[in-house]
Amino acid sequence: MGQAARAVDMTRASAYRLRARPGADSFAAAWDQALDIGRARMFDVAMTRAIDGHTTIRITRGGAFTLDQGVARHLVAAAIREAPPQPPKMP
């Protein structure tokens, strides 16, 4: 949230105040829709990694490295803890 607020020259606190302000229903709805889109995207990435796998490269200070290939189980577990996201509602 902080990065999004800074992108429009706001602080986190001012964004939350705007969201809570009477008459800011459309702003709050857009905020919720952005969160839904982000959650859906995270779910899609986790499922893609579950199906296709991914590669992780770890490099130590001495220059040695390890290469792990496979399913990102931690992402899959995080994604399935919640019900699959509903498609965002378009206005």
Side-chain angles (χ1 to χ4, degrees):
M1 174 57 207
Q3 186 177 8
R6 283 190 301 277
V8 293
D9 291 327
M10 294 179 84
T11 64
R12 264 178 87 110
S14 62
Y16 277 102
R17 279 193 303 274
L18 176 58
R19 179 183 170 85
R21 186 181 299 168
D25 296 337
S26 63
F27 180 75
W31 178 316
D32 291 339
Q33 185 178 12
L35 290 176
D36 290 343
I37 291 168
R39 286 185 192 108
R41 176 70 180 128
M42 290 176 66
F43 185 84
D44 290 345
V45 168
M47 290 300 101
T48 298
R49 289 187 178 184
I51 294 166
D52 299 336
H54 77 291
T55 301
T56 302
I57 301 171
R58 293 181 185 88
I59 302 173
T60 65
R61 288 185 185 175
F65 68 92
T66 60
L67 181 67
D68 295 325
Q69 294 179 313
V71 174
R73 287 181 174 81
H74 67 286
L75 290 176
V76 175
I80 61 177
R81 274 195 292 270
E82 302 289 327
Q86 298 298 316
K89 296 175 185 165
M90 301 309 261

